[in-house]
Structure formats: structure tokens, C-alpha cells
Amino acid sequence: MNKILFFVCSIFAFITVKAQNSTISGTISSNGSPVAFVNIYIKGTEIGAASDENGVYVLKNIPTGKHTIIASTIGFEQFHKIITISKNVDHVLNISLNPATESLDEMVVTGTLKPVNRLETPVPVEVYKPTFFKKNPTANIFEALQNVNGVRPQINCNVCNTGDIHINGLEGPYTLVLIDGMPIVSGLGTVYGLSGIPNSLIEQVEIIKGPASTLYGSEAVGGLINIITKNNVSAPQLVADSFITDWGELNLDLGTKFNLGKKTNVLLGINYFKYDNPIDNNGDNFTDLTIQDRISVFQKWNFQRDNSRLLSFAGRYFYEDRWGGELQWTPEFRGGNEIYGESIYTRRWEILGKYELPLEEQLMLSFSYNDHSQNSVYGDVPYIADQRIGFTQLTWDKTIAIHSILAGTALRYNYYDDNTTATMDVNGNLPNEVLIPSIFIQDEVSLGKKHALLAGLRYDYDKRHGAIWTPRGAYRYKFTDNDIIRLNAGTGFRVVNLFTEEHAALTGARDVIIAEELKPERSFNINLNYLKKIYGDNGTFAVLDASVFYTNFNNAIIPDYDTNPNQILYDNLNGRSVSKGVSASLDISLINGPKLMIGATLQDVSTTENGVTKRQILTESYAANWGLTYTINAWDMTIDYTGNLYGPMRLPTLGVNDPRREFSPTWSIQNIQFSHKGFSNIELYAGVKNLLNWTPNKGNPFIIARAHDPFDKEVTFDNNGNAVATPNNPNALTFDPSYVYGPNQGIRTFFGMRYTLN
């Protein structure tokens, strides 16, 4: 009852009403149906808003005189109208949008580091709007990405439930996560910092599948995810979104904007998540879902400058207290060997900014800095770590005839220190500290309407590894305005810090063996992409997006769980690692009818060493995802049915005697949501997650090996440190929570409410 009261009060406590002078209000529709989240603004001013779920909008505090009203959104032609505003008058302007003859024309920035029409860029970029993520509401962006084709959030630990993002079957460390184009979520943040990015402030998420190190440097090996926050002008005045589940999870998202003086506007977002209800449905005496208490505060400042030059700063503070383990664990057992628990305190802050230099040439200075402090224990193994990453970049954007040139220089600072052997030498503790300077250049050539060519080259210098060159090339050909083919080839690299990325190395269940001084990983990727737009005579619109991909790794670092069940062996692969496959997605929109999104990926991810080829561990051979949306206008009701299907993946068992499955079965998680939009500014939603009640323990005798003996007190070892079979341990197992490939949460219901004030 207290959670419900807090939930309701949290929504209405932030509802404010401001005095207004002249206003423009109305509805935005197309063919009689409301169009939600349309950006509408007055040209040449800072006055703007977005339509709500019912297509309703309000523009406030409008000065008298003639103004041009502009409304735009994906899939529709841009609307322009000149209107004369009288003093203290409420004007009504209902807007009807026409379906665009050239859809998918939104601007993207991730592929080329500058705004470009998505249809014109040679680099295939996938774009996802907030409406996509609302079809299956989640508490963080990590979980929200589960409905993106070819992208899978991977849970890496049965106990603390941390994870990373896989793109086309490649492990999480190969994915670079950006906020507003800055590489701010990496290393420890990739594992622990993806939670708590306020969903209410996300404008769109852009995804590139394949190497992007030519522009973004280390870690952009398998792909990158760019989380773009809302524009201060078009963002709603207030957004409050909160939901609860019958497991006891509570999530609250708040977003607002305000002005400081005439030339400064501020965007503020807060995310709070609480779960404190230990549940053990699989009966192993361990929490199925980690207990969590976290808060994240995000703020973005925009400053008006002469000639519309850009100046913005943003920052985020993140704190989380999470633990998982035996049900009887309490903080007094933290770090001891009586009751097993994994307890993680995370403090993290980030800043980033962009400053356009006051020169005739287009020169942009960008920077980011983050400080990540972690105090954690895994059973009786402490892990205390500090990481600081600084990044600054100066880019020059110049168009000369048919050439669009982007050149720049960057400097990355990495600092990492922990209490493990990773930061020690013969003289004691030695933190890792390195500066990586870079220069890069890119030229995009427009060869008429049909052809575009892009070429780029980057040079990085790391004192540990020397010079690193990463070239890139891309070609786009438009058969027609509705048929586009793109061919991309490029290289990527990654400088590694194992202990920030491999949670299994920290559980205390296995010893970590580093065979040699590790070299940076290198990759080569080629990707062929085809985009087809289909217009039906009855108003149906569909988009087919299909790709064939191939990635080859040199010096790949893949943890070896198989050679010794009590160890994780790290070494540069003496052979090759290959990821290849095909993916396709189809989006269909029917006028006044259902909308269907369906995608599928077939992939083969393997390693070959000494003539032996193995499938990569924890990588599915095929996957599918779907989303079906149907709106019943008479009831103001929308129904969203979403789901995923994953093929078998090889799992980290503890040798031939382990009774657990070596391969996972084909499994699926499906969800349904009902949304009601019949109230002014308020949307109610409710639904069921994991309709099939699937959990990974089905068909397995257990998930966590020897959960009853997490400190291996009753395990007998031989002289080589290997467990031996005994009457109370007939399969010669040790405690191991790394056997995990999906969430342990079964079926559950949720209820939520959104309030939007434009």
C-alpha cells in the first residue's frame, strides 16, 4: 500500500500550472487519426512543444505578431503555416499532416559525426524513438533494447544480475555506448552504468552494427549505441512516468525543463528504482532478482549564442546499492564466509559538453569525463575499483564542391585502479594510466543523386601497443527513391581491461589466469545493407531493412571456461574468431489499422584455434523479435504485444560430469500491454510480462552449481586444484553462478501512469 501511495503522489506532486499569455492549441491528426509526439515550434523562437498521445498540443507565452508554425515528425510531410497572434488571445489551430512521399528522412548523427539525412548517408543507422520503447515499459535502457533486432541484453551473473549488450552475437565489451555522441559509458560503466539513464529524456536511440573505430576509437569494434537526449526546446514542460509490478518493483521517471534568464534553458531528468522483495521461485535459496535501490539525476544546459552557435553542457550522477545472494543475507555478512552475498555500491558521475568556436569555419570542441567508484564484495572476495575516463575532441566540418570533409583530433585519458593483480607489479600497486592521442579524417563524396562514397582513416597511439590505424569505406547506391543499397567495410580495435568486463572473474568461483601480455584486439567487418520502402494503394506503408554481415577478429581475447572448470584462462586467440550472418526487419503500418514490426537474425559466431572450431559461448544461433500494435479509437485503447525468440547457445558448464544442459533450449519471452489515453495529459497502462512464465531453470536440475555450499567448504580438491567426486559431491562440482543466459523472473503484472504537460 505504501508503494502505491508513493507511486500516485510522485506523479501528482510534480504537476504544475504556469500563467500564460497568448497561446496556440489544437490537435494534430492524419486521415482522422491523432498523431502523437509531433515536434511543433515557432520558427525563429525558443517556443516549442510536442503533441501528446492524443495528438493534442499547446504553445504558450507567444508574443504578438506574425509567426511561422512548423510541425514535423517521421513518416509525414513537414507542416508550415503563418499565423497572426493577438495579445492575450487563445488561438486554435488544428493541423492535418500528409503521409510523406519520402519517409525515414529523420536526421542522424552517429554514422558520420554530423547531422545528415538518414536516407542520404552511406552508413546504415537504425533509429528508435521513445514510442518504440514504451511498447514494453522497462526501468532502464539496458532492458529496453531487448526488442531491437540483432541486439540482446545479456545477463552475466545469476546472483547480482549485471549484464552487457550483445550486437550480432558479439560480447558486450565490443559495444560502445554513447550519450549525445560522447563515449561516456565504457569499462565499468558498461557493466554497471547502463541502468539509470532516464527514459523520459531520450529523444532517440541510434544503433550502428559493425566497427566504427575510425570515428570513435577503442571499443567500437562490434557496434555502437548512441543515446540522444531530448532537445530543450521541443521537450515537454513536464513528463512523469511511473510503474509498479506485482514483484514489488517500483520505477519513477521525471523530466522537466525551465529557463534561467533569456538565454539559458535547462533540461532535468530523474530516475529512481526500488526493489526490496527477495523472491526465490526456483528454490535454490538464492534471490531470483537482485535487490536494488538506485537513483540517477541528469541535467542538460543549452545557451543561446550569436549566429545560433552551439553551447551545451550536461551531467549525470548515479548511485546504486544492489545485492543478491542467499535469502538470509544481511549487510552484517558483507565480505564474510558464512552467508554468501554479492553486494555492490556504485557511485558514478559524468559530464559532457559541446562548444562551437566563434569562427567562420565550422569547428566544434566536444568533451566528456566520468568518474566511477565501486565498492563491492563477491562472497568473501572484495573488489574495490576506481575508473576515470576523460575525452576531448576537436572536429572541423567543411564542404568543398561535392566533398563533405570531417577532420579532427582527439585525446583520451584512461585511469583504472583496483585491488586485484590487474593493477600490481613487483613493487606493489600500480594503477593503469594512459593517454591515447588520435587524428582522423573522413570525406563523403556526393556523386549525383544516386551515388555517395565515404572514406575515412584514423590514427591512434597507445604507448603500450604503439600505432593503431583504422581505415573505413562506405558506398551508397539509390536504385530509386524507394530502393537503397549500402556497402560498408571497416576496421575496429579495442584496448582491454579484463577485470572491468568479466563479472565471472570476480565471483570467487574460478581463478583467473592471464597467459601472456595481451595485445589489442583488431577486427575487420564488411556489411551489405538493403533498404526498401513500400507504399500500398490503400495507404499501407512498409519498410524492409536487410543486412548481410561478416566480422573477422585478430588477437581476439575470449575467456576459456573449458580447459579447467576452476579457472578462466585469458589469452590472445592463436587463430581466428568470426561472426557472420544475415538479419532482416520489416515494419508495416496500416492506415487506421495495426502496426507490425518483425525482425530476425541468423548468425554463426565461432572461434578456430589449432584447427578446432567451436561456437562462441553464450551466443544464440538465431533470434527473432516482434511487436504488434493495435489501437481501438472508440475506447482510447492501444494494445501492444511484443516478444523475443532465441535459439540454442552454448553454456559454461563445469566439465563432462555437470548435469546441467550444455546448450540452452529455444526460449521466448512475450509481453502484452494495454494503454488507455482517454484522460487529458494522462495515460494509464497495464500488462503482463513473460506471458509464458519462462525461466532458465526449466529442464535443468539446478542453475547455480552447489548453491548450498557457496564457499566450497565441503568440496575436496586434488593436488592440481581440481574438484574430485565424493559421496556428497558425486559430479565433482564447485560453486558456480556463471551458468546464466536469461532472466530468472517469471510471469508478472505491471501497472503504470504517464503524465505529460506540453
Side-chain angles (χ1 to χ4, degrees):
M1 185 65 183
N2 290 335
K3 284 187 171 65
I4 296 176
L5 290 174
F6 176 76
F7 161 73
V8 174
C9 293
S10 298
I11 293 291
F12 289 101
F14 287 86
I15 297 176
T16 59
V17 179
K18 289 191 174 182
Q20 52 181 310
N21 296 318
S22 296
T23 66
I24 302 176
S25 63
T27 60
I28 303 177
S29 62
S30 177
N31 294 325
S33 298
V35 182
F37 307 111
V38 177
N39 290 325
I40 181 167
Y41 60 95
I42 299 178
K43 186 177 180 180
T45 74
E46 296 294 317
I47 301 172
S51 62
D52 64 14
E53 291 84 352
N54 301 309
V56 177
Y57 75 93
V58 180
L59 300 177
K60 300 178 180 179
N61 302 318
I62 305 172
T64 58
K66 287 186 176 182
H67 298 285
T68 300
I69 311 300
I70 298 176
S72 64
T73 190
I74 181 175
F76 297 92
E77 294 178 354
Q78 193 175 73
F79 172 88
H80 298 259
K81 186 177 181 64
I82 298 176
I83 186 171
T84 301
I85 301 298
S86 303
K87 188 175 181 180
N88 296 325
V89 174
D90 295 332
H91 301 265
V92 177
L93 176 63
N94 294 321
I95 298 172
S96 178
L97 297 180
N98 296 317
T101 56
E102 185 77 6
S103 190
L104 301 174
D105 59 350
E106 69 265 38
M107 303 301 288
V108 295
V109 298
T110 306
T112 58
L113 261 183
K114 56 184 178 180
V116 62
N117 187 293
R118 183 184 172 194
L119 288 175
E120 301 303 321
T121 175
V123 181
V125 180
E126 298 180 13
V127 178
Y128 298 91
K129 295 288 187 177
T131 50
F132 175 84
F133 300 115
K134 288 179 180 178
K135 297 176 187 296
N136 179 30
T138 60
N140 55 68
I141 192 66
F142 172 78
E143 296 177 43
L145 292 170
Q146 64 186 293
N147 288 327
V148 176
N149 184 31
V151 177
R152 182 170 69 88
Q154 166 66 39
I155 302 295
N156 290 328
C157 173
N158 266 307
V159 181
C160 71
N161 296 157
T162 55
D164 51 33
I165 303 295
H166 290 201
I167 294 182
N168 287 343
L170 298 179
E171 293 284 347
Y174 298 124
T175 300
L176 179 63
V177 181
L178 313 166
I179 298 180
D180 287 336
M182 290 288 97
I184 204 164
V185 181
S186 57
L188 280 170
T190 303
V191 181
Y192 299 100
L194 277 175
S195 302
I197 297 175
N199 290 344
S200 61
L201 293 184
I202 294 177
E203 175 68 23
Q204 65 187 37
V205 176
E206 300 179 3
I207 298 176
I208 292 179
K209 299 171 181 176
S213 290
T214 302
L215 288 181
Y216 296 98
S218 177
E219 299 178 46
V221 180
L224 60 87
I225 299 169
N226 189 8
I227 301 167
I228 299 175
T229 58
K230 288 185 180 294
N231 182 284
N232 296 42
V233 174
S234 61
Q237 189 70 36
L238 175 68
V239 176
D241 186 353
S242 187
F243 69 83
I244 55 176
T245 73
D246 62 357
W247 274 52
E249 299 162 280
L250 169 67
N251 185 75
L252 172 65
D253 256 328
L254 296 172
T256 186
K257 66 177 182 180
F258 52 90
N259 295 325
L260 292 178
K262 295 182 178 181
K263 294 188 175 183
T264 304
N265 50 65
V266 182
L267 196 64
L268 173 65
I270 300 173
N271 172 259
Y272 178 71
F273 180 80
K274 177 79 170 181
Y275 172 69
D276 59 0
N277 180 35
I279 292 177
D280 177 28
N281 285 337
N282 59 20
D284 60 6
N285 196 45
F286 272 70
T287 53
D288 290 345
L289 180 65
T290 304
I291 306 304
Q292 301 168 60
D293 189 0
R294 70 168 177 262
I295 187 168
S296 175
V297 181
F298 177 88
Q299 199 168 66
K300 183 178 180 180
W301 296 56
N302 274 1
F303 302 89
Q304 294 183 40
R305 299 175 58 210
D306 294 340
N307 301 316
S308 300
R309 290 190 175 95
L310 180 64
L311 175 60
S312 68
F313 298 99
R316 182 171 76 114
Y317 175 77
F318 173 89
Y319 174 79
E320 182 181 58
D321 175 3
R322 68 161 59 203
W323 73 267
E326 296 184 88
L327 296 180
Q328 63 270 35
W329 188 91
T330 60
E332 68 185 58
F333 295 106
R334 192 174 196 266
N337 62 0
E338 298 176 51
I339 305 297
Y340 188 90
E342 297 185 3
S343 171
I344 303 164
Y345 304 143
T346 302
R347 287 182 176 85
R348 177 181 177 87
W349 59 271
E350 309 157 345
I351 58 171
L352 63 154
K354 293 186 177 182
Y355 174 70
E356 187 176 355
L357 274 64
L359 303 171
E360 292 185 6
E361 297 292 333
Q362 294 186 44
L363 290 167
M364 181 73 71
L365 179 66
S366 307
F367 70 89
S368 66
Y369 183 83
N370 68 75
D371 187 295
H372 187 113
S373 177
Q374 186 172 312
N375 182 324
S376 50
V377 293
Y378 300 85
D380 57 358
V381 178
Y383 176 62
I384 313 299
D386 289 290
Q387 176 182 271
R388 303 176 196 121
I389 297 177
F391 181 83
T392 184
Q393 178 173 270
L394 180 66
T395 56
W396 173 61
D397 187 358
K398 182 73 173 180
T399 300
I400 304 175
I402 62 173
H403 297 269
S404 179
I405 300 171
L406 183 76
T409 180
L411 182 66
R412 178 168 178 151
Y413 168 75
N414 285 355
Y415 173 90
Y416 177 74
D417 188 20
D418 66 21
N419 63 318
T420 74
T421 56
T423 56
M424 293 186 65
D425 66 2
V426 294
N427 298 317
N429 187 56
L430 182 65
N432 293 330
E433 192 169 15
V434 64
L435 280 172
I436 304 177
S438 314
I439 57 173
F440 58 89
I441 187 169
Q442 172 184 277
D443 184 12
E444 185 174 348
V445 185
S446 178
L447 303 172
K449 183 178 180 180
K450 293 182 177 293
H451 304 272
L453 183 67
L454 181 145
L457 181 65
R458 183 185 184 98
Y459 168 81
D460 292 82
Y461 180 78
D462 186 322
K463 66 181 181 181
R464 300 167 296 180
H465 309 299
I468 303 174
W469 296 90
T470 47
R472 172 197 201 188
Y475 171 69
R476 187 218 71 209
Y477 178 70
K478 294 176 71 173
F479 295 94
T480 68
D481 287 340
N482 298 330
D483 296 88
I484 302 173
I485 191 168
R486 296 179 174 97
L487 178 65
N488 278 246
T491 59
F493 74 95
R494 184 173 75 103
V495 179
V496 182
N497 189 327
L498 294 176
F499 288 82
T500 67
E501 299 159 349
E502 283 295 340
H503 172 270
L506 303 171
T507 61
R510 301 190 186 212
D511 294 327
V512 176
I513 306 298
I514 301 177
E516 61 178 53
E517 183 178 352
L518 298 173
K519 302 174 184 176
E521 294 180 273
R522 302 297 304 269
S523 72
F524 169 77
N525 170 272
I526 187 167
N527 181 297
L528 181 65
N529 174 261
Y530 174 64
L531 182 70
K532 171 71 173 178
K533 296 179 294 178
I534 304 167
Y535 296 91
D537 294 336
N538 60 351
T540 300
F541 174 67
V543 179
L544 172 66
D545 193 337
S547 294
V548 178
F549 58 89
Y550 175 88
T551 303
N552 191 318
F553 286 89
N554 293 322
N555 299 330
I557 302 171
I558 299 175
D560 176 3
Y561 292 84
D562 302 324
T563 301
N564 187 323
N566 296 307
Q567 296 178 341
I568 306 175
L569 306 176
Y570 291 100
D571 194 1
N572 285 113
L573 185 68
N574 184 20
R576 68 181 186 276
S577 176
V578 172
S579 169
K580 57 186 177 183
V582 58
S583 68
S585 61
L586 179 66
D587 290 3
I588 303 174
S589 297
L590 303 176
I591 295 296
N592 296 323
K595 296 181 180 180
L596 173 65
M597 177 276 296
I598 186 169
T601 299
L602 298 174
Q603 59 192 16
D604 180 10
V605 185
S606 63
T607 60
T608 300
E609 189 169 24
N610 299 323
V612 178
T613 300
K614 292 183 178 180
R615 280 181 54 181
Q616 181 171 294
I617 205 165
L618 292 173
T619 303
E620 66 277 13
S621 55
Y622 59 86
N625 63 290
W626 63 86
L628 176 64
T629 299
Y630 184 75
T631 299
I632 306 173
N633 292 319
W635 297 354
D636 295 315
M637 174 83 68
T638 298
I639 304 172
D640 291 297
Y641 170 54
T642 58
N644 308 89
L645 178 73
Y646 298 108
M649 58 185 75
R650 192 165 70 90
L651 303 174
T653 58
L654 296 177
V656 295
N657 294 323
D658 194 330
R660 296 174 296 181
R661 289 175 169 176
E662 183 182 0
F663 285 86
S664 68
T666 298
W667 53 284
S668 176
I669 294 203
Q670 301 175 27
N671 320 285
I672 193 167
Q673 175 185 249
F674 300 87
S675 306
H676 181 67
K677 305 173 183 178
F679 303 100
S680 177
N681 300 328
I682 294 177
E683 177 185 2
L684 302 176
Y685 58 94
V688 181
K689 289 178 177 287
N690 199 354
L691 284 163
L692 303 181
N693 197 27
W694 177 89
T695 53
N697 62 295
K698 296 183 184 298
N700 268 312
F702 50 82
I703 293 295
I704 299 176
R706 294 193 64 81
H708 65 283
D709 183 23
F711 296 99
D712 290 336
K713 293 180 179 180
E714 300 176 9
V715 177
T716 302
F717 297 92
D718 62 19
N719 293 333
N720 295 320
N722 297 317
V724 297
T726 60
N728 68 350
N729 188 16
N731 299 112
L733 303 179
T734 58
F735 173 69
D736 180 30
S738 63
Y739 185 96
V740 57
Y741 56 95
N744 287 318
Q745 275 187 293
I747 189 170
R748 59 201 182 278
T749 59
F750 64 90
F751 171 77
M753 180 165 58
R754 298 186 183 99
Y755 176 86
T756 304
L757 178 65
N758 289 300

